[in-house]
Amino acid sequence: MVTLSSIATKKGDKGKTSLLSGERVLKSDPQVEAYGVIDELNSWLGLIRVKCPYQDIIDVICQVQKDLFILSAELASRQKKYKKRITQQNLDYIDQKLDYYQANFNFHGFTIPGQSELGSYLDISRTICRRAERRMASAETIEEVEFSELVHSYVNRLSDLIYILSRTSDQRNLINLVTEKVCKILESEGY
């Protein structure tokens, strides 16, 4: 771990930042935007983890957050390949969780966001994840950098996983609301 004497290095005061591979680039650089959106996604997932009452979803989000730090570092490197990278194992984890959660659903179309608070936070995160995909594509087109196929697959599949976690949260919230109402009715009738 690198120890900084101050968080304020003042090196970015003129609108430039350093990539992990050492190049100085504008903060508006598409590559900076790409890993910045991943950072934004990671922050939203942190809020979701704090708000989430479901330990299984918390565990998934925690693993994804760890993966996103690796992914951000990979996106923040240009000329040299960053040592720690997204692997097939990271993608397999996403696929396994996606299969597990969608096994309980029979989809007939899209769901309007806003069925539950937690589901809404997850839907916001899904759209941020999709924006990250677009920013990665822009960086590759404009800056002629190339991200691995695994990175692209991971981010694409992650947005699908976040979508199904949102639907799972909405479903669980509905079940909890119905259970509460039934319990209140039974209590009021002396059961």
Side-chain angles (χ1 to χ4, degrees):
M1 177 186 274
V2 176
T3 305
L4 297 174
S5 58
S6 172
I7 193 71
T9 64
K10 301 178 186 171
K11 292 180 180 177
D13 287 355
K14 294 185 179 172
K16 287 193 170 189
T17 191
S18 291
L19 297 176
L20 284 178
S21 49
E23 299 88 351
R24 295 285 293 165
V25 296
L26 290 173
K27 290 183 177 183
S28 61
D29 186 288
Q31 191 171 354
V32 174
E33 179 66 18
Y35 70 76
V37 175
I38 294 295
D39 185 37
E40 181 182 354
L41 172 60
N42 206 341
S43 296
W44 272 97
L45 291 174
L47 173 65
I48 292 164
R49 192 168 39 87
V50 168
K51 295 270 191 185
C52 185
Y54 313 116
Q55 189 60 50
D56 61 318
I57 293 176
I58 290 170
D59 293 343
V60 171
I61 289 171
C62 191
Q63 182 57 53
V64 166
Q65 286 186 285
K66 291 175 186 175
D67 290 351
L68 289 179
F69 278 113
I70 296 167
L71 193 138
S72 287
E74 198 169 337
L75 295 180
S77 189
R78 189 167 283 176
Q79 291 181 4
K80 68 177 184 177
K81 297 296 181 195
Y82 196 68
K83 290 178 187 175
K84 202 164 185 188
R85 303 177 64 116
I86 291 296
T87 65
Q88 186 63 47
Q89 184 178 353
N90 300 110
L91 182 59
D92 290 346
Y93 178 83
I94 296 294
D95 284 338
Q96 289 165 2
K97 294 304 177 183
L98 185 56
D99 290 345
Y100 172 79
Y101 285 102
Q102 70 184 359
N104 297 318
F105 289 91
N106 186 9
F107 292 103
H108 298 290
F110 286 97
T111 302
I112 296 172
Q115 305 301 310
S116 69
E117 181 180 25
L118 184 62
S120 297
Y121 287 143
L122 283 157
D123 280 322
I124 291 168
S125 295
R126 175 186 48 79
T127 64
I128 294 169
C129 192
R130 289 291 188 203
R131 181 161 33 99
E133 282 188 280
R134 295 189 302 272
R135 296 304 186 261
M136 288 165 51
S138 290
E140 287 182 317
T141 302
I142 296 168
E143 294 301 323
E144 296 181 6
V145 295
E146 190 174 326
F147 304 123
S148 76
E149 188 177 320
L150 278 172
V151 165
H152 283 287
S153 296
Y154 184 93
V155 175
N156 182 51
R157 254 27 102 58
L158 177 57
S159 63
D160 295 335
L161 176 59
I162 294 171
Y163 176 79
I164 197 64
L165 290 177
S166 178
R167 303 295 64 82
T168 300
S169 298
D170 288 346
Q171 184 182 59
R172 289 178 183 180
N173 182 65
L174 181 60
I175 290 168
N176 290 341
L177 290 174
V178 169
T179 302
E180 280 178 34
K181 283 200 181 241
V182 169
C183 287
K184 284 182 182 179
I185 290 169
L186 292 174
E187 272 180 27
S188 70
E189 294 183 5
Y191 288 100

